[in-house]
Amino acid sequence: MIALPVVERKVKDSLRVAEEYLKVADIVEFRLDYLEEVSLEDIGKFCKFNSIITIRPTWEGGYWDKGERVELFKKAIEENAKFIDVELREEKNKELVEFRNRIGSKTKVIISYHNFEETPSFEKLCEVVENSLKVGDIAKIATMVKDKEDVLKILNLANKYRGRIIAIGMGEKGRLTRILAPYFGSILTFASYKGKSSAPGQIEIEELKEIWRKLRITI
């Protein structure tokens, strides 16, 4: 799957952009931390789309500094959002999974880890994935790539945890992982659209599709 991040400042613009994005992408990620304001009612609107609900806090590289996020996530779970993305370092991630299980929601929980400085050792990455999968349904790993060895770590990780992971190498040197990780087993990759992106190294969606066509890669 290809995901496009929605990084608008207003709810109405986010909804409009999501409709446009889903004409070319498989799924959208609503980055609610970019929004100036968001309500429980808005969450219901977002969940009508095939989407990932993400509220990335400042301590994990996002922009959310408005306090508690749990009620917003619980509303997304009640509305059967396709996915929610919650950080491995979030102390209440297990609470959200237990809430999902208790009410019988269909929402899948992504447990995410971001490292904007480096790509740790393969052993460390495996440890992070294992810890994430003990909590949620899917592990997401996004790390800064500095060399070819880092690229290999991420692709090997995608291959080892095929179908249970989103594996991403950030930065210009990580662009190859955004092309090849889905082939090796990552359930999706994030692309950009007309210059709008949410992380360094995201490739324009039409460029990504063209590369896959030329390489005859079927995702």
PDB file of all heavy atoms in Angstrom, residues 111-146:
ATOM      1  N   ILE A 111       2.108   0.298  16.563  1.00  0.00           N
ATOM      2  CA  ILE A 111       2.989   0.785  17.619  1.00  0.00           C
ATOM      3  C   ILE A 111       4.285   1.255  16.960  1.00  0.00           C
ATOM      4  O   ILE A 111       4.968   0.469  16.307  1.00  0.00           O
ATOM      5  CB  ILE A 111       3.278  -0.310  18.664  1.00  0.00           C
ATOM      6  CG1 ILE A 111       1.966  -0.791  19.311  1.00  0.00           C
ATOM      7  CG2 ILE A 111       4.245   0.207  19.725  1.00  0.00           C
ATOM      8  CD1 ILE A 111       1.245   0.270  20.126  1.00  0.00           C
ATOM      9  N   SER A 112       4.586   2.523  17.120  1.00  0.00           N
ATOM     10  CA  SER A 112       5.659   3.118  16.314  1.00  0.00           C
ATOM     11  C   SER A 112       6.877   3.551  17.124  1.00  0.00           C
ATOM     12  O   SER A 112       6.784   3.920  18.293  1.00  0.00           O
ATOM     13  CB  SER A 112       5.123   4.309  15.515  1.00  0.00           C
ATOM     14  OG  SER A 112       4.576   5.294  16.375  1.00  0.00           O
ATOM     15  N   TYR A 113       8.015   3.478  16.443  1.00  0.00           N
ATOM     16  CA  TYR A 113       9.312   3.881  17.000  1.00  0.00           C
ATOM     17  C   TYR A 113      10.009   4.754  15.974  1.00  0.00           C
ATOM     18  O   TYR A 113      10.126   4.387  14.794  1.00  0.00           O
ATOM     19  CB  TYR A 113      10.162   2.648  17.290  1.00  0.00           C
ATOM     20  CG  TYR A 113      11.633   2.919  17.525  1.00  0.00           C
ATOM     21  CD1 TYR A 113      12.106   3.256  18.791  1.00  0.00           C
ATOM     22  CD2 TYR A 113      12.556   2.833  16.483  1.00  0.00           C
ATOM     23  CE1 TYR A 113      13.463   3.498  19.008  1.00  0.00           C
ATOM     24  CE2 TYR A 113      13.909   3.069  16.684  1.00  0.00           C
ATOM     25  CZ  TYR A 113      14.354   3.397  17.948  1.00  0.00           C
ATOM     26  OH  TYR A 113      15.697   3.632  18.157  1.00  0.00           O
ATOM     27  N   HIS A 114      10.464   5.930  16.398  1.00  0.00           N
ATOM     28  CA  HIS A 114      11.166   6.845  15.497  1.00  0.00           C
ATOM     29  C   HIS A 114      12.529   7.197  16.082  1.00  0.00           C
ATOM     30  O   HIS A 114      12.654   7.452  17.276  1.00  0.00           O
ATOM     31  CB  HIS A 114      10.363   8.143  15.305  1.00  0.00           C
ATOM     32  CG  HIS A 114       9.008   7.918  14.704  1.00  0.00           C
ATOM     33  ND1 HIS A 114       7.931   7.493  15.458  1.00  0.00           N
ATOM     34  CD2 HIS A 114       8.551   8.057  13.436  1.00  0.00           C
ATOM     35  CE1 HIS A 114       6.868   7.375  14.666  1.00  0.00           C
ATOM     36  NE2 HIS A 114       7.221   7.718  13.452  1.00  0.00           N
ATOM     37  N   ASN A 115      13.528   7.200  15.226  1.00  0.00           N
ATOM     38  CA  ASN A 115      14.868   7.625  15.631  1.00  0.00           C
ATOM     39  C   ASN A 115      15.380   8.568  14.542  1.00  0.00           C
ATOM     40  O   ASN A 115      15.706   8.133  13.435  1.00  0.00           O
ATOM     41  CB  ASN A 115      15.790   6.422  15.796  1.00  0.00           C
ATOM     42  CG  ASN A 115      17.116   6.789  16.429  1.00  0.00           C
ATOM     43  OD1 ASN A 115      17.673   7.852  16.160  1.00  0.00           O
ATOM     44  ND2 ASN A 115      17.639   5.909  17.273  1.00  0.00           N
ATOM     45  N   PHE A 116      15.419   9.843  14.856  1.00  0.00           N
ATOM     46  CA  PHE A 116      15.806  10.855  13.871  1.00  0.00           C
ATOM     47  C   PHE A 116      17.315  11.091  13.826  1.00  0.00           C
ATOM     48  O   PHE A 116      17.789  11.932  13.066  1.00  0.00           O
ATOM     49  CB  PHE A 116      15.079  12.172  14.167  1.00  0.00           C
ATOM     50  CG  PHE A 116      13.587  12.086  13.999  1.00  0.00           C
ATOM     51  CD1 PHE A 116      12.764  11.792  15.082  1.00  0.00           C
ATOM     52  CD2 PHE A 116      12.999  12.273  12.760  1.00  0.00           C
ATOM     53  CE1 PHE A 116      11.389  11.706  14.942  1.00  0.00           C
ATOM     54  CE2 PHE A 116      11.623  12.183  12.602  1.00  0.00           C
ATOM     55  CZ  PHE A 116      10.813  11.901  13.700  1.00  0.00           C
ATOM     56  N   GLU A 117      18.049  10.324  14.617  1.00  0.00           N
ATOM     57  CA  GLU A 117      19.503  10.488  14.674  1.00  0.00           C
ATOM     58  C   GLU A 117      20.252   9.399  13.916  1.00  0.00           C
ATOM     59  O   GLU A 117      21.259   9.662  13.258  1.00  0.00           O
ATOM     60  CB  GLU A 117      19.962  10.492  16.144  1.00  0.00           C
ATOM     61  CG  GLU A 117      19.347  11.597  16.988  1.00  0.00           C
ATOM     62  CD  GLU A 117      19.691  12.980  16.497  1.00  0.00           C
ATOM     63  OE1 GLU A 117      20.841  13.165  16.030  1.00  0.00           O
ATOM     64  OE2 GLU A 117      18.826  13.876  16.571  1.00  0.00           O
ATOM     65  N   GLU A 118      19.764   8.165  14.003  1.00  0.00           N
ATOM     66  CA  GLU A 118      20.512   7.040  13.439  1.00  0.00           C
ATOM     67  C   GLU A 118      19.604   5.837  13.232  1.00  0.00           C
ATOM     68  O   GLU A 118      18.437   5.836  13.647  1.00  0.00           O
ATOM     69  CB  GLU A 118      21.641   6.640  14.392  1.00  0.00           C
ATOM     70  CG  GLU A 118      21.121   6.149  15.739  1.00  0.00           C
ATOM     71  CD  GLU A 118      22.221   5.683  16.660  1.00  0.00           C
ATOM     72  OE1 GLU A 118      23.394   5.708  16.255  1.00  0.00           O
ATOM     73  OE2 GLU A 118      21.885   5.267  17.803  1.00  0.00           O
ATOM     74  N   THR A 119      20.161   4.811  12.589  1.00  0.00           N
ATOM     75  CA  THR A 119      19.534   3.499  12.535  1.00  0.00           C
ATOM     76  C   THR A 119      20.318   2.591  13.479  1.00  0.00           C
ATOM     77  O   THR A 119      21.497   2.318  13.226  1.00  0.00           O
ATOM     78  CB  THR A 119      19.561   2.920  11.108  1.00  0.00           C
ATOM     79  OG1 THR A 119      18.783   3.762  10.244  1.00  0.00           O
ATOM     80  CG2 THR A 119      18.981   1.512  11.075  1.00  0.00           C
ATOM     81  N   PRO A 120      19.708   2.141  14.561  1.00  0.00           N
ATOM     82  CA  PRO A 120      20.418   1.275  15.513  1.00  0.00           C
ATOM     83  C   PRO A 120      20.821  -0.062  14.884  1.00  0.00           C
ATOM     84  O   PRO A 120      20.503  -0.344  13.724  1.00  0.00           O
ATOM     85  CB  PRO A 120      19.386   1.070  16.629  1.00  0.00           C
ATOM     86  CG  PRO A 120      18.433   2.200  16.486  1.00  0.00           C
ATOM     87  CD  PRO A 120      18.356   2.482  15.013  1.00  0.00           C
ATOM     88  N   SER A 121      21.491  -0.883  15.652  1.00  0.00           N
ATOM     89  CA  SER A 121      21.911  -2.199  15.177  1.00  0.00           C
ATOM     90  C   SER A 121      20.684  -3.041  14.825  1.00  0.00           C
ATOM     91  O   SER A 121      19.572  -2.794  15.316  1.00  0.00           O
ATOM     92  CB  SER A 121      22.723  -2.919  16.250  1.00  0.00           C
ATOM     93  OG  SER A 121      21.895  -3.247  17.355  1.00  0.00           O
ATOM     94  N   PHE A 122      20.895  -4.052  13.994  1.00  0.00           N
ATOM     95  CA  PHE A 122      19.795  -4.930  13.606  1.00  0.00           C
ATOM     96  C   PHE A 122      19.205  -5.615  14.834  1.00  0.00           C
ATOM     97  O   PHE A 122      17.982  -5.768  14.950  1.00  0.00           O
ATOM     98  CB  PHE A 122      20.275  -5.974  12.591  1.00  0.00           C
ATOM     99  CG  PHE A 122      19.171  -6.834  12.054  1.00  0.00           C
ATOM    100  CD1 PHE A 122      18.225  -6.311  11.184  1.00  0.00           C
ATOM    101  CD2 PHE A 122      19.062  -8.166  12.436  1.00  0.00           C
ATOM    102  CE1 PHE A 122      17.186  -7.105  10.687  1.00  0.00           C
ATOM    103  CE2 PHE A 122      18.035  -8.962  11.951  1.00  0.00           C
ATOM    104  CZ  PHE A 122      17.095  -8.435  11.070  1.00  0.00           C
ATOM    105  N   GLU A 123      20.062  -5.994  15.758  1.00  0.00           N
ATOM    106  CA  GLU A 123      19.602  -6.646  16.983  1.00  0.00           C
ATOM    107  C   GLU A 123      18.691  -5.717  17.790  1.00  0.00           C
ATOM    108  O   GLU A 123      17.653  -6.145  18.313  1.00  0.00           O
ATOM    109  CB  GLU A 123      20.793  -7.090  17.828  1.00  0.00           C
ATOM    110  CG  GLU A 123      21.620  -8.219  17.241  1.00  0.00           C
ATOM    111  CD  GLU A 123      22.457  -7.797  16.038  1.00  0.00           C
ATOM    112  OE1 GLU A 123      22.759  -6.577  15.910  1.00  0.00           O
ATOM    113  OE2 GLU A 123      22.802  -8.675  15.224  1.00  0.00           O
ATOM    114  N   LYS A 124      19.091  -4.463  17.897  1.00  0.00           N
ATOM    115  CA  LYS A 124      18.277  -3.480  18.617  1.00  0.00           C
ATOM    116  C   LYS A 124      16.940  -3.261  17.914  1.00  0.00           C
ATOM    117  O   LYS A 124      15.879  -3.177  18.561  1.00  0.00           O
ATOM    118  CB  LYS A 124      19.036  -2.155  18.735  1.00  0.00           C
ATOM    119  CG  LYS A 124      18.217  -0.999  19.315  1.00  0.00           C
ATOM    120  CD  LYS A 124      17.755  -1.259  20.742  1.00  0.00           C
ATOM    121  CE  LYS A 124      17.012  -0.059  21.301  1.00  0.00           C
ATOM    122  NZ  LYS A 124      16.473  -0.325  22.663  1.00  0.00           N
ATOM    123  N   LEU A 125      16.953  -3.181  16.594  1.00  0.00           N
ATOM    124  CA  LEU A 125      15.720  -3.002  15.835  1.00  0.00           C
ATOM    125  C   LEU A 125      14.772  -4.181  16.044  1.00  0.00           C
ATOM    126  O   LEU A 125      13.560  -3.988  16.211  1.00  0.00           O
ATOM    127  CB  LEU A 125      16.027  -2.834  14.345  1.00  0.00           C
ATOM    128  CG  LEU A 125      16.725  -1.538  13.939  1.00  0.00           C
ATOM    129  CD1 LEU A 125      17.130  -1.590  12.475  1.00  0.00           C
ATOM    130  CD2 LEU A 125      15.839  -0.322  14.199  1.00  0.00           C
ATOM    131  N   CYS A 126      15.318  -5.375  16.046  1.00  0.00           N
ATOM    132  CA  CYS A 126      14.486  -6.558  16.284  1.00  0.00           C
ATOM    133  C   CYS A 126      13.866  -6.510  17.674  1.00  0.00           C
ATOM    134  O   CYS A 126      12.698  -6.875  17.862  1.00  0.00           O
ATOM    135  CB  CYS A 126      15.308  -7.837  16.125  1.00  0.00           C
ATOM    136  SG  CYS A 126      15.764  -8.209  14.412  1.00  0.00           S
ATOM    137  N   GLU A 127      14.634  -6.049  18.645  1.00  0.00           N
ATOM    138  CA  GLU A 127      14.131  -5.922  20.006  1.00  0.00           C
ATOM    139  C   GLU A 127      12.969  -4.931  20.053  1.00  0.00           C
ATOM    140  O   GLU A 127      11.946  -5.180  20.710  1.00  0.00           O
ATOM    141  CB  GLU A 127      15.251  -5.459  20.932  1.00  0.00           C
ATOM    142  CG  GLU A 127      14.840  -5.251  22.377  1.00  0.00           C
ATOM    143  CD  GLU A 127      15.963  -4.705  23.237  1.00  0.00           C
ATOM    144  OE1 GLU A 127      17.144  -4.922  22.898  1.00  0.00           O
ATOM    145  OE2 GLU A 127      15.656  -4.031  24.243  1.00  0.00           O
ATOM    146  N   VAL A 128      13.119  -3.816  19.347  1.00  0.00           N
ATOM    147  CA  VAL A 128      12.055  -2.810  19.299  1.00  0.00           C
ATOM    148  C   VAL A 128      10.797  -3.396  18.648  1.00  0.00           C
ATOM    149  O   VAL A 128       9.675  -3.194  19.146  1.00  0.00           O
ATOM    150  CB  VAL A 128      12.528  -1.556  18.535  1.00  0.00           C
ATOM    151  CG1 VAL A 128      11.351  -0.623  18.263  1.00  0.00           C
ATOM    152  CG2 VAL A 128      13.612  -0.836  19.308  1.00  0.00           C
ATOM    153  N   VAL A 129      10.976  -4.114  17.558  1.00  0.00           N
ATOM    154  CA  VAL A 129       9.827  -4.709  16.872  1.00  0.00           C
ATOM    155  C   VAL A 129       9.125  -5.711  17.777  1.00  0.00           C
ATOM    156  O   VAL A 129       7.885  -5.721  17.892  1.00  0.00           O
ATOM    157  CB  VAL A 129      10.251  -5.378  15.551  1.00  0.00           C
ATOM    158  CG1 VAL A 129       9.085  -6.160  14.946  1.00  0.00           C
ATOM    159  CG2 VAL A 129      10.736  -4.337  14.559  1.00  0.00           C
ATOM    160  N   GLU A 130       9.891  -6.569  18.424  1.00  0.00           N
ATOM    161  CA  GLU A 130       9.304  -7.575  19.312  1.00  0.00           C
ATOM    162  C   GLU A 130       8.502  -6.911  20.434  1.00  0.00           C
ATOM    163  O   GLU A 130       7.391  -7.337  20.760  1.00  0.00           O
ATOM    164  CB  GLU A 130      10.398  -8.469  19.900  1.00  0.00           C
ATOM    165  CG  GLU A 130      11.110  -9.348  18.889  1.00  0.00           C
ATOM    166  CD  GLU A 130      10.251 -10.473  18.344  1.00  0.00           C
ATOM    167  OE1 GLU A 130       9.170 -10.728  18.916  1.00  0.00           O
ATOM    168  OE2 GLU A 130      10.654 -11.097  17.348  1.00  0.00           O
ATOM    169  N   ASN A 131       9.062  -5.860  21.014  1.00  0.00           N
ATOM    170  CA  ASN A 131       8.354  -5.140  22.082  1.00  0.00           C
ATOM    171  C   ASN A 131       7.084  -4.481  21.559  1.00  0.00           C
ATOM    172  O   ASN A 131       6.051  -4.445  22.250  1.00  0.00           O
ATOM    173  CB  ASN A 131       9.269  -4.095  22.713  1.00  0.00           C
ATOM    174  CG  ASN A 131      10.351  -4.705  23.566  1.00  0.00           C
ATOM    175  OD1 ASN A 131      10.221  -5.829  24.056  1.00  0.00           O
ATOM    176  ND2 ASN A 131      11.452  -3.987  23.748  1.00  0.00           N
ATOM    177  N   SER A 132       7.148  -3.968  20.340  1.00  0.00           N
ATOM    178  CA  SER A 132       5.976  -3.317  19.734  1.00  0.00           C
ATOM    179  C   SER A 132       4.868  -4.331  19.462  1.00  0.00           C
ATOM    180  O   SER A 132       3.683  -4.058  19.702  1.00  0.00           O
ATOM    181  CB  SER A 132       6.379  -2.619  18.440  1.00  0.00           C
ATOM    182  OG  SER A 132       7.341  -1.609  18.674  1.00  0.00           O
ATOM    183  N   LEU A 133       5.246  -5.507  18.972  1.00  0.00           N
ATOM    184  CA  LEU A 133       4.254  -6.527  18.637  1.00  0.00           C
ATOM    185  C   LEU A 133       3.650  -7.188  19.876  1.00  0.00           C
ATOM    186  O   LEU A 133       2.599  -7.810  19.795  1.00  0.00           O
ATOM    187  CB  LEU A 133       4.875  -7.580  17.717  1.00  0.00           C
ATOM    188  CG  LEU A 133       5.238  -7.085  16.313  1.00  0.00           C
ATOM    189  CD1 LEU A 133       5.952  -8.182  15.524  1.00  0.00           C
ATOM    190  CD2 LEU A 133       4.000  -6.612  15.551  1.00  0.00           C
ATOM    191  N   LYS A 134       4.296  -7.035  21.005  1.00  0.00           N
ATOM    192  CA  LYS A 134       3.708  -7.508  22.258  1.00  0.00           C
ATOM    193  C   LYS A 134       2.540  -6.620  22.685  1.00  0.00           C
ATOM    194  O   LYS A 134       1.688  -7.040  23.471  1.00  0.00           O
ATOM    195  CB  LYS A 134       4.767  -7.526  23.365  1.00  0.00           C
ATOM    196  CG  LYS A 134       5.803  -8.631  23.222  1.00  0.00           C
ATOM    197  CD  LYS A 134       6.858  -8.522  24.314  1.00  0.00           C
ATOM    198  CE  LYS A 134       7.935  -9.587  24.137  1.00  0.00           C
ATOM    199  NZ  LYS A 134       9.026  -9.438  25.144  1.00  0.00           N
ATOM    200  N   VAL A 135       2.534  -5.396  22.164  1.00  0.00           N
ATOM    201  CA  VAL A 135       1.497  -4.433  22.525  1.00  0.00           C
ATOM    202  C   VAL A 135       0.421  -4.347  21.450  1.00  0.00           C
ATOM    203  O   VAL A 135      -0.772  -4.503  21.727  1.00  0.00           O
ATOM    204  CB  VAL A 135       2.100  -3.032  22.767  1.00  0.00           C
ATOM    205  CG1 VAL A 135       0.990  -2.035  23.123  1.00  0.00           C
ATOM    206  CG2 VAL A 135       3.161  -3.070  23.851  1.00  0.00           C
ATOM    207  N   GLY A 136       0.841  -4.058  20.217  1.00  0.00           N
ATOM    208  CA  GLY A 136      -0.103  -3.800  19.139  1.00  0.00           C
ATOM    209  C   GLY A 136      -0.107  -4.856  18.057  1.00  0.00           C
ATOM    210  O   GLY A 136       0.472  -5.943  18.195  1.00  0.00           O
ATOM    211  N   ASP A 137      -0.747  -4.527  16.936  1.00  0.00           N
ATOM    212  CA  ASP A 137      -0.895  -5.459  15.818  1.00  0.00           C
ATOM    213  C   ASP A 137       0.234  -5.339  14.806  1.00  0.00           C
ATOM    214  O   ASP A 137       0.594  -6.322  14.149  1.00  0.00           O
ATOM    215  CB  ASP A 137      -2.226  -5.185  15.108  1.00  0.00           C
ATOM    216  CG  ASP A 137      -3.403  -5.202  16.061  1.00  0.00           C
ATOM    217  OD1 ASP A 137      -3.690  -6.280  16.602  1.00  0.00           O
ATOM    218  OD2 ASP A 137      -4.009  -4.137  16.286  1.00  0.00           O
ATOM    219  N   ILE A 138       0.755  -4.132  14.670  1.00  0.00           N
ATOM    220  CA  ILE A 138       1.774  -3.830  13.659  1.00  0.00           C
ATOM    221  C   ILE A 138       2.853  -2.979  14.301  1.00  0.00           C
ATOM    222  O   ILE A 138       2.556  -2.077  15.088  1.00  0.00           O
ATOM    223  CB  ILE A 138       1.157  -3.070  12.465  1.00  0.00           C
ATOM    224  CG1 ILE A 138       0.090  -3.932  11.772  1.00  0.00           C
ATOM    225  CG2 ILE A 138       2.221  -2.626  11.462  1.00  0.00           C
ATOM    226  CD1 ILE A 138      -0.867  -3.132  10.924  1.00  0.00           C
ATOM    227  N   ALA A 139       4.105  -3.279  13.973  1.00  0.00           N
ATOM    228  CA  ALA A 139       5.219  -2.454  14.436  1.00  0.00           C
ATOM    229  C   ALA A 139       5.621  -1.498  13.321  1.00  0.00           C
ATOM    230  O   ALA A 139       5.690  -1.888  12.158  1.00  0.00           O
ATOM    231  CB  ALA A 139       6.411  -3.330  14.814  1.00  0.00           C
ATOM    232  N   LYS A 140       5.859  -0.256  13.685  1.00  0.00           N
ATOM    233  CA  LYS A 140       6.371   0.719  12.718  1.00  0.00           C
ATOM    234  C   LYS A 140       7.742   1.199  13.189  1.00  0.00           C
ATOM    235  O   LYS A 140       7.886   1.655  14.325  1.00  0.00           O
ATOM    236  CB  LYS A 140       5.436   1.918  12.576  1.00  0.00           C
ATOM    237  CG  LYS A 140       5.988   2.989  11.627  1.00  0.00           C
ATOM    238  CD  LYS A 140       5.134   4.249  11.643  1.00  0.00           C
ATOM    239  CE  LYS A 140       5.805   5.369  10.845  1.00  0.00           C
ATOM    240  NZ  LYS A 140       5.075   6.645  10.954  1.00  0.00           N
ATOM    241  N   ILE A 141       8.716   1.081  12.297  1.00  0.00           N
ATOM    242  CA  ILE A 141      10.083   1.512  12.586  1.00  0.00           C
ATOM    243  C   ILE A 141      10.474   2.561  11.555  1.00  0.00           C
ATOM    244  O   ILE A 141      10.434   2.305  10.356  1.00  0.00           O
ATOM    245  CB  ILE A 141      11.071   0.331  12.493  1.00  0.00           C
ATOM    246  CG1 ILE A 141      10.660  -0.786  13.448  1.00  0.00           C
ATOM    247  CG2 ILE A 141      12.498   0.794  12.768  1.00  0.00           C
ATOM    248  CD1 ILE A 141      10.825  -0.456  14.898  1.00  0.00           C
ATOM    249  N   ALA A 142      10.849   3.742  12.009  1.00  0.00           N
ATOM    250  CA  ALA A 142      11.315   4.808  11.113  1.00  0.00           C
ATOM    251  C   ALA A 142      12.603   5.370  11.689  1.00  0.00           C
ATOM    252  O   ALA A 142      12.598   5.977  12.764  1.00  0.00           O
ATOM    253  CB  ALA A 142      10.266   5.897  10.980  1.00  0.00           C
ATOM    254  N   THR A 143      13.708   5.146  10.999  1.00  0.00           N
ATOM    255  CA  THR A 143      15.014   5.568  11.502  1.00  0.00           C
ATOM    256  C   THR A 143      15.793   6.321  10.435  1.00  0.00           C
ATOM    257  O   THR A 143      15.575   6.129   9.238  1.00  0.00           O
ATOM    258  CB  THR A 143      15.842   4.356  11.968  1.00  0.00           C
ATOM    259  OG1 THR A 143      16.085   3.485  10.850  1.00  0.00           O
ATOM    260  CG2 THR A 143      15.110   3.575  13.055  1.00  0.00           C
ATOM    261  N   MET A 144      16.725   7.165  10.882  1.00  0.00           N
ATOM    262  CA  MET A 144      17.535   7.948   9.957  1.00  0.00           C
ATOM    263  C   MET A 144      18.637   7.077   9.351  1.00  0.00           C
ATOM    264  O   MET A 144      19.377   6.404  10.075  1.00  0.00           O
ATOM    265  CB  MET A 144      18.149   9.147  10.678  1.00  0.00           C
ATOM    266  CG  MET A 144      18.879  10.102   9.766  1.00  0.00           C
ATOM    267  SD  MET A 144      17.811  10.827   8.484  1.00  0.00           S
ATOM    268  CE  MET A 144      16.713  11.838   9.480  1.00  0.00           C
ATOM    269  N   VAL A 145      18.702   7.105   8.025  1.00  0.00           N
ATOM    270  CA  VAL A 145      19.681   6.290   7.297  1.00  0.00           C
ATOM    271  C   VAL A 145      20.911   7.122   6.959  1.00  0.00           C
ATOM    272  O   VAL A 145      20.803   8.237   6.441  1.00  0.00           O
ATOM    273  CB  VAL A 145      19.052   5.720   6.011  1.00  0.00           C
ATOM    274  CG1 VAL A 145      20.114   5.131   5.097  1.00  0.00           C
ATOM    275  CG2 VAL A 145      18.008   4.667   6.356  1.00  0.00           C
ATOM    276  N   LYS A 146      22.083   6.556   7.242  1.00  0.00           N
ATOM    277  CA  LYS A 146      23.341   7.250   6.969  1.00  0.00           C
ATOM    278  C   LYS A 146      24.188   6.551   5.901  1.00  0.00           C
ATOM    279  O   LYS A 146      25.068   7.169   5.312  1.00  0.00           O
ATOM    280  CB  LYS A 146      24.148   7.393   8.258  1.00  0.00           C
ATOM    281  CG  LYS A 146      23.463   8.259   9.308  1.00  0.00           C
ATOM    282  CD  LYS A 146      24.304   8.407  10.554  1.00  0.00           C
ATOM    283  CE  LYS A 146      23.624   9.313  11.578  1.00  0.00           C
ATOM    284  NZ  LYS A 146      24.428   9.456  12.822  1.00  0.00           N
TER     285      LYS A 146
END
